[in-house]
Amino acid sequence: MLNGKQRWLPLAICLLSVIAHAQEAKLEPGRPIEREIAGGESHKYKFTLQAGQFVRVVVEQKKIDVALKIAAPDGTQLIEANFGDVGELESLSAEAAAGGEHQLTISAKGAAGSYRVRLEVKAAASAQDKKRMTAERLLVEVAKSFHQGAGELATTIEKARQALTLWRELGDRHWEAATANMIGQAYVTVGTSEQAIEALNQALGIRRELKYRTGEGITLLNLGSVYHTLGRYEKAIEYYEQALVIFRELKNRLAEGNTLYNLGDASGSLSRNEKAIEYYEQALAIQREVKNRRYEGYALGSIGTAYRNLGRYEKAIEYLEQELAIDREVKDRSGEAYTLNNLGLAYSKMGRYEKATEHCEQALALFREVKERDGEASALYNLAQTEQARGSIAAARTHIEENLKLEEATRADIVTPESRTSFLATVQRSYGLYTDILMSQHRSEPTKGLDALAVETSERRRARSLLDLLTEARADLRQGVDAALIERERGLGKQLNDKARTQTSTPEQAAALKREISQLENDYEQAQTAIRKASPHYAALTQPQPLKLTEIQAQLDADTLLLEYALGEERSYLWAITKDSLTSYELPKEELIRKSALAVHGLLTARSTSKRGESVLQRRERIIQAEAQLPAAAQSLSQTLLAPVAAQLGNNRLVIVADGALQYIPFAMLPDPVTGGRSPVASENNTAHRPLATDHRPLIVGHEIVSLPSASALAIQRTELAGRHLAPKMLAVIADPVFDRTDARLSTSAIETGDKTQPQTIAANNERTLEHLAENSGDKSGITTRRFVIPRLPFTRQEADQLLALTPATSSFRRNCFRASRATVLDPALGQYRYVHFATHGLLDSERPGLSALVLSMVDAEGKPQDGFLRANDIYNLKLPAELVVLSACQTGLGKDIKGEGLVGLTRGFMYAGAARVVVSLWSVNDKATADLMTKFYEKMLKQGERPAAALRAAQVEMWKQKQWQSPYYWGAFVLQGEWK
């Protein structure tokens, strides 16, 4: 986040003291009073009670937030609180200990507005009334803990849960939702976001059920804040935008301003700083309009932080100093800490390190005083960065190690893989800074083993959620869990699949569909969380720890070289690890490597890229140009990535742990460096860089190449698979599905003859990719919509025939045509095969990786539509103990690139399901070339007894040697991930 402070609603779960004005009135049962009130003003009311009578005060807030206080005849305060926010209902109950004139004080917080107050009096409190009073007093204690700071919240959440139970017993859905909302806020404050989401979703469901729009908007805003904290910024924006619609509809200006502020923070977290400033300036105008000084300060500071991110440091400091003055004026200690921290960072960016340190140290002390863990971690990071910049490496290391302890403690409290993944992405900068600090120390102290510690830090930042998933995979989490929970998960999964297949024809429909899918994803995630929490097997699991260097080396053979890359903001690193050695190399910064890698990827995939309005001739010329430019671009990238370590390559197997944009590049196609390279880090000539000599021979010719998300992932996978018996049967092939009712195989003759149709003649450059084609809607509107087109892949039939010819019919399994269906794959019988091969289309959803899919038969033999999408979420629920899964489809190795986790998509789903190895593609592959490559690959495995990694290498080399397929576009897309033995 930009400023470190999300705006929460209700924001006033605290007590309020305001100077009373001399306004007093008589309040009587059955005679409600409606009045306007100015900000900071108090209204007093008298009402008479006899001893033992029960009283309840109910206030409807209209564009105002008020606090209530009831006092006894002797002035003793009976109860005081402010539970609701602007536009919400307030209510308090009490029992008169003595007869006489009691007093109600209504105090306005913030802007002016109006309210309606009514009094309910009974001769005596019933059992239900006493429950209500108990619940309200429990909430008062929760309110006090919010007022006192985060340090008290952990001990009062239980009291809020007690209140929640009482509201449920009373059947008061309004206050049940309000209390769940408070519990959600409390959980976030103590750093347990998963419980917060659970509680807030409960509140959201009730408020929607009650059609309580104000409360719905408040909870949506709060949910957005939780996802923001977890680093799931796009999801946070979805919730904020929904809340903004509601608050504008209700003309709730204060809540609208808070929501705009949070949208600014989320935009800034996505580096959309100009957009962030737009949101902040709108929020600032509203806060000044409603005369809310505290939030005016927040908006000013956030504008300053956005300017800092744009490199306009003087302007940033100008705004931040204004916020600091307001923070101190309103005595906002937490806000003051965040502002000091942001000022420190601005001064650091300007090179004024002493002033930066001074401000960050003040911020750190305040964060620790108010027990603000996220802020403390941020201040420690800024101090570490500043100390490194001024050359105080030891001090920088101390600060960043303290920071990482806090970050790891927060991660341990998160349950869902999605949230753990997103949270880890937010703390990548901490791991990156720690790595850089360690390598700086290594340069000056090369014998201290600091490079080994840097490698271990690199492992700590990689694929941690995948490690958790692989460990979890060995346990049957659903065993012993309530069947209703499992059925809910299954039902939500089906709803999600159905929605994901929905097509829209207007932007409005598309936006509505996106919201529905987002909510279903959220519900599905919560259902899985509930299963994990209820599972006795999950409770018994311990979090896996990334490997130490010696443990990484123990995984390597004598002829294996592990190349682990870590891309950084200022500089990057390569560690070359063998069974008994470690050598470190410094590489250029991430921005330069990323630019080079994406250029190579763009040239590689030119054939499978369509450009709107491009003619056949223009496409041909573009491809020719790309092919001509590719060798030089690939050589340049090889110079950066491989030349430094050229002397160590030998004939070794190369295990690649890539980072960032390097995950899009198959190292197999990079030119093999012959001579030259950089000297290792910490050597006398560590800046030497001799010219690279290359014969343009691809790396795969001399080396078997395997990809891993991390070295630790392989170790855990080996542990989980140790002792597993081979599946009894050999090969299962799912290929050539029927995607459309226009398919020729739906004709009567085709069905009656058992689908003996021959593949249609098709150009050799046809790709296994999906398209959206424009077509007219056919009505008078003339609207042009987009139709989802899934063309048949005729060479997948040939591919299946050739693969199955390599194994005995009794040991193989063939499902094509209509039987290449989702139901076939979900059948547990598929788990009996060692090799499982999918030859079909792949569908990549880079934003929602759980919805990425393999596309199977979309119609049955009678032409009836059926769900043909095997989603990533389905794959996680498979039991597939295969030695190898091959996804002979387009882009199956891609997914959403999440910092620290890599590409999250289909691959990890099959690894979770039990596959020891997965062969996947990095771009839209050519149909005919893929069929040829796969035939060669399986021949070498099944007939010649080659290991999968060696067989893939040999097949790719054969393809490279054929003139027709020499371009790496045809053979380079497929990579093997997982076990190489």
Side-chain angles (χ1 to χ4, degrees):
M1 70 195 83
L2 279 179
N3 201 40
K5 305 185 289 287
Q6 261 67 64
R7 299 283 59 77
W8 284 84
L9 291 175
L11 293 156
I13 308 182
C14 57
L15 306 184
L16 183 68
S17 298
V18 183
I19 297 174
H21 289 244
Q23 298 191 40
E24 207 160 359
K26 186 78 172 174
L27 188 61
E28 298 176 358
R31 298 183 65 181
I33 295 175
E34 187 163 346
R35 294 180 66 181
E36 293 184 352
I37 187 169
E41 185 180 10
S42 290
H43 291 174
K44 293 183 180 293
Y45 295 93
K46 292 182 179 179
F47 57 93
T48 303
L49 296 176
Q50 296 177 13
Q53 281 190 316
F54 168 80
V55 63
R56 184 183 180 210
V57 175
V58 179
V59 177
E60 298 171 36
Q61 304 178 108
K62 300 180 179 180
K63 301 181 185 177
I64 189 70
D65 179 25
V66 300
L68 310 182
K69 180 169 64 177
I70 298 176
D74 63 0
T76 303
Q77 184 174 299
L78 298 180
I79 187 168
E80 174 187 9
N82 176 17
F83 299 131
D85 196 75
V86 177
E88 289 203 286
L89 199 69
E90 287 284 4
S91 99
L92 277 184
S93 305
E95 199 170 19
E101 198 169 69
H102 290 63
Q103 187 179 72
L104 167 68
T105 303
I106 299 179
S107 304
K109 178 185 178 184
S114 65
Y115 64 87
R116 185 174 188 270
V117 57
R118 72 177 188 272
L119 194 68
E120 299 173 3
V121 178
K122 293 182 181 179
S126 66
Q128 296 289 84
D129 294 331
K130 288 181 178 179
K131 273 189 182 180
R132 176 177 294 279
M133 286 190 290
T134 302
E136 288 176 349
R137 278 152 181 76
L138 285 166
L139 292 187
V140 168
E141 293 190 41
V142 173
K144 287 179 180 177
S145 70
F146 270 90
H147 186 58
Q148 292 164 1
E152 301 298 321
L153 288 175
T155 59
T156 58
I157 287 174
E158 181 54 36
K159 290 180 180 177
R161 290 205 167 278
Q162 292 173 24
L164 186 66
T165 300
L166 291 172
W167 294 123
R168 285 171 176 166
E169 291 174 359
L170 287 165
D172 192 323
R173 299 285 277 166
H174 173 89
W175 282 103
E176 179 186 346
T179 306
N181 192 71
M182 293 177 192
I183 290 170
Q185 290 177 260
Y187 272 127
V188 166
T189 307
V190 297
T192 50
S193 300
E194 293 293 334
Q195 290 92 330
I197 290 171
E198 182 180 352
L200 291 169
N201 273 314
Q202 289 175 19
L204 182 63
I206 295 170
R207 286 172 161 178
R208 282 175 168 166
E209 172 193 318
L210 297 175
K211 294 181 171 54
Y212 177 33
R213 293 287 279 167
T214 296
E216 181 183 351
I218 287 168
T219 309
L220 285 166
L221 180 60
N222 290 347
L223 274 164
S225 295
V226 183
Y227 283 110
H228 193 142
T229 301
L230 288 168
R232 300 176 69 175
Y233 306 122
E234 295 288 3
K235 196 167 188 69
I237 286 172
E238 288 177 14
Y239 280 107
Y240 293 153
E241 287 177 340
Q242 291 179 63
L244 186 64
V245 169
I246 291 173
F247 294 139
R248 283 176 169 166
E249 169 194 313
L250 298 172
K251 296 181 171 56
N252 186 331
R253 294 288 279 166
L254 178 60
E256 180 186 348
N258 292 335
T259 308
L260 287 164
Y261 175 97
N262 282 12
L263 278 164
D265 259 9
S267 298
S269 295
L270 291 166
S271 299
R272 301 167 188 166
N273 292 297
E274 299 287 359
K275 185 69 175 175
I277 290 172
E278 287 181 29
Y279 282 127
Y280 291 142
E281 288 179 339
Q282 291 178 63
L284 178 63
I286 291 173
Q287 303 303 351
R288 284 175 170 166
E289 172 193 319
V290 301
K291 296 180 173 58
N292 193 320
R293 286 287 281 166
R294 177 173 293 189
Y295 300 154
E296 179 186 344
Y298 291 157
L300 285 165
S302 295
I303 293 170
T305 305
Y307 278 122
R308 184 201 69 207
N309 291 341
L310 290 169
R312 300 175 65 181
Y313 303 122
E314 294 289 356
K315 197 168 185 67
I317 289 170
E318 175 190 333
Y319 277 95
L320 288 165
E321 290 287 4
Q322 291 181 66
E323 179 187 22
L324 186 62
I326 294 175
D327 289 335
R328 287 171 173 167
E329 172 193 322
V330 300
K331 296 180 171 56
D332 182 353
R333 299 287 276 170
S334 176
E336 182 182 349
Y338 277 109
T339 307
L340 287 166
N341 194 38
N342 286 324
L343 275 165
L345 185 54
Y347 282 120
S348 181
K349 293 291 185 183
M350 295 175 71
R352 299 173 64 180
Y353 300 126
E354 287 188 13
K355 205 160 183 64
T357 300
E358 174 191 337
H359 280 79
C360 290
E361 285 178 345
Q362 290 179 48
L364 182 62
L366 278 175
F367 283 132
R368 285 172 171 167
E369 175 190 316
V370 300
K371 297 180 173 60
E372 184 81 49
R373 187 162 70 175
D374 288 346
E376 182 182 353
S378 178
L380 286 165
Y381 177 87
N382 289 346
L383 281 167
Q385 194 175 49
T386 300
E387 295 294 353
Q388 184 196 32
R390 67 195 299 188
S392 301
I393 302 301
R397 181 176 170 185
T398 298
H399 289 312
I400 199 62
E401 286 176 345
E402 289 184 66
N403 163 278
L404 284 169
K405 284 179 184 176
L406 291 173
E407 304 287 19
E408 288 284 353
T410 298
R411 183 181 182 277
D413 293 331
I414 301 172
V415 176
T416 69
E418 294 83 359
S419 293
R420 281 191 173 184
T421 295
S422 297
F423 178 76
L424 186 64
T426 69
V427 299
Q428 283 300 294
R429 64 175 193 164
S430 294
Y431 288 109
L433 179 58
Y434 189 35
T435 299
D436 202 34
I437 288 169
L438 289 169
M439 292 304 294
S440 295
Q441 287 188 308
H442 173 65
R443 277 190 289 272
S444 58
E445 301 176 278
T447 62
K448 294 290 184 66
L450 295 167
D451 54 345
L453 188 54
V455 170
E456 292 163 10
T457 301
S458 176
E459 283 292 304
R460 285 172 64 189
R461 64 184 277 266
R462 291 178 193 273
R464 292 287 292 282
S465 296
L466 177 58
L467 303 191
D468 295 334
L469 287 170
L470 292 176
T471 302
E472 178 186 300
R474 72 170 182 240
D476 185 354
L477 298 188
R478 287 159 183 76
Q479 186 178 357
V481 174
D482 187 344
L485 285 177
I486 296 171
E487 185 54 39
R488 173 167 169 73
E489 179 200 28
R490 188 177 294 118
L492 286 167
K494 184 179 184 308
Q495 289 179 53
L496 190 55
N497 270 355
D498 291 344
K499 281 294 177 186
R501 289 189 294 135
T502 303
Q503 297 186 47
T504 58
S505 57
T506 68
E508 293 76 17
Q509 289 175 348
L513 179 62
K514 182 180 178 181
R515 288 193 297 271
E516 290 177 42
I517 289 175
S518 180
Q519 186 58 51
L520 280 169
E521 277 190 315
N522 186 51
D523 294 344
Y524 185 69
E525 191 177 311
Q526 290 304 303
Q528 292 181 318
T529 299
I531 288 172
R532 285 185 173 91
K533 287 183 175 180
S535 171
H537 295 286
Y538 185 81
L541 293 178
T542 56
Q543 285 192 25
Q545 295 302 309
L547 299 186
K548 302 291 186 184
L549 175 63
T550 53
E551 295 170 316
I552 293 172
Q553 291 173 319
Q555 301 296 320
L556 304 179
D557 309 299
D559 59 349
T560 299
L561 176 65
L562 173 67
L563 300 179
E564 182 155 328
Y565 292 86
L567 306 188
E569 187 175 340
E570 297 299 328
R571 60 195 65 81
S572 302
Y573 295 100
L574 162 62
W575 296 284
I577 306 170
T578 69
K579 197 168 184 64
D580 52 17
S581 71
L582 166 65
T583 313
S584 305
Y585 301 90
E586 186 175 312
L587 303 181
K589 62 183 180 181
E590 179 175 18
E591 181 184 355
L592 297 177
I593 292 177
R594 181 178 183 275
K595 183 178 179 181
S596 181
L598 293 182
V600 170
H601 185 267
L603 295 170
L604 270 172
T605 58
R607 291 177 183 273
S608 61
T609 303
S610 298
K611 293 185 179 293
R612 182 169 296 185
E614 186 179 50
S615 69
V616 173
L617 180 60
Q618 288 171 327
R619 181 176 187 274
R620 184 182 300 119
E621 288 298 321
R622 175 173 57 81
I623 292 171
I624 290 171
Q625 188 177 22
E627 288 287 335
Q629 294 172 352
L630 179 59
Q635 180 175 329
S636 176
L637 186 58
S638 177
Q639 172 84 349
T640 300
L641 302 178
L642 297 171
V645 73
Q648 290 184 258
L649 297 182
N651 295 316
N652 288 312
R653 173 186 302 109
L654 303 181
V655 177
I656 309 295
V657 179
D659 191 20
L662 297 183
Q663 296 168 105
Y664 294 91
I665 301 298
F667 276 61
M669 60 72 56
L670 292 177
D672 192 346
V674 179
T675 61
R678 286 193 187 90
S679 300
V681 170
S683 74
E684 293 181 1
N685 300 311
N686 65 342
T687 58
H689 197 178
R690 296 183 295 278
L692 172 71
T694 177
D695 59 2
H696 298 291
R697 186 179 68 170
L699 197 62
I700 193 69
V701 175
H703 305 276
E704 188 178 300
I705 298 175
V706 177
S707 295
L708 292 178
S710 74
S712 300
L714 175 67
I716 290 177
Q717 189 183 31
R718 283 178 171 173
T719 299
E720 301 308 319
L721 300 180
R724 186 174 79 177
H725 296 295
L726 289 173
K729 298 181 181 180
M730 189 63 71
L731 176 64
V733 179
I734 296 94
D736 195 21
V738 180
F739 302 121
D740 195 277
R741 293 184 65 183
T742 62
D743 193 297
R745 289 171 288 180
L746 266 169
S747 67
T748 303
S749 59
I751 296 171
E752 290 176 348
T753 57
D755 183 35
K756 300 295 184 181
T757 55
Q758 295 300 310
Q760 65 206 60
T761 302
I762 191 162
N765 65 352
N766 188 61
E767 288 92 28
R768 298 185 182 184
T769 185
L770 300 183
E771 311 174 69
H772 286 80
L773 300 183
E775 65 172 15
N776 192 277
S777 61
D779 60 23
K780 294 181 180 179
S781 68
I783 295 173
T784 297
T785 60
R786 312 247 338 145
R787 179 169 58 90
F788 199 40
V789 176
I790 310 179
R792 184 182 179 185
L793 295 170
F795 286 105
T796 60
R797 168 59 58 86
Q798 172 187 313
E799 185 176 323
D801 291 342
Q802 291 173 339
L803 300 190
L804 290 163
L806 300 172
T807 58
T810 55
S811 188
S812 61
F813 171 93
R814 177 195 189 109
R815 290 293 182 269
N816 56 270
C817 194
F818 305 103
R819 296 188 299 168
S821 66
R822 185 169 177 269
T824 292
V825 181
L826 297 179
D827 190 328
L830 195 62
Q832 299 177 38
Y833 294 86
R834 299 176 196 177
Y835 302 98
V836 179
H837 185 91
F838 294 90
T840 182
H841 284 293
L843 176 65
L844 172 67
D845 191 325
S846 58
E847 280 306 309
R848 303 178 186 276
L851 297 181
S852 293
L854 292 175
V855 189
L856 303 169
S857 287
M858 304 289 288
V859 294
D860 63 17
E862 297 178 357
K864 296 177 181 176
Q866 62 184 11
D867 183 4
F869 292 100
L870 183 74
R871 306 278 179 188
N873 290 332
D874 295 321
I875 295 167
Y876 278 101
N877 288 321
L878 295 177
K879 295 294 182 187
L880 200 61
E883 295 304 298
L884 174 68
V885 171
V886 177
L887 307 182
S888 183
C890 64
Q891 298 179 306
T892 50
L894 300 184
K896 186 172 184 177
D897 185 10
I898 300 176
K899 278 189 173 292
E901 285 297 327
L903 299 176
V904 177
L906 300 179
T907 308
R908 62 173 53 198
F910 280 106
M911 293 176 76
Y912 183 88
R917 306 160 192 80
V918 185
V919 170
V920 293
S921 63
L922 296 179
W923 57 77
S924 298
V925 292
N926 176 273
D927 191 21
K928 176 64 168 66
T930 300
D932 286 1
L933 174 67
M934 288 300 157
T935 301
K936 297 177 190 298
F937 175 42
Y938 276 89
E939 278 179 351
K940 295 177 191 314
M941 278 195 303
L942 301 182
K943 290 297 187 183
Q944 299 173 26
E946 296 259 19
R947 291 173 294 102
L952 181 61
R953 172 196 174 192
Q956 289 178 316
V957 170
E958 275 193 35
M959 294 286 287
W960 169 70
K961 288 180 177 178
Q962 293 179 250
K963 186 174 181 180
Q964 181 184 10
W965 307 127
Q966 193 170 53
S967 169
Y969 162 74
Y970 293 111
W971 55 265
F974 288 97
V975 295
L976 185 143
Q977 298 191 22
E979 180 61 80
W980 63 78
K981 291 183 178 179

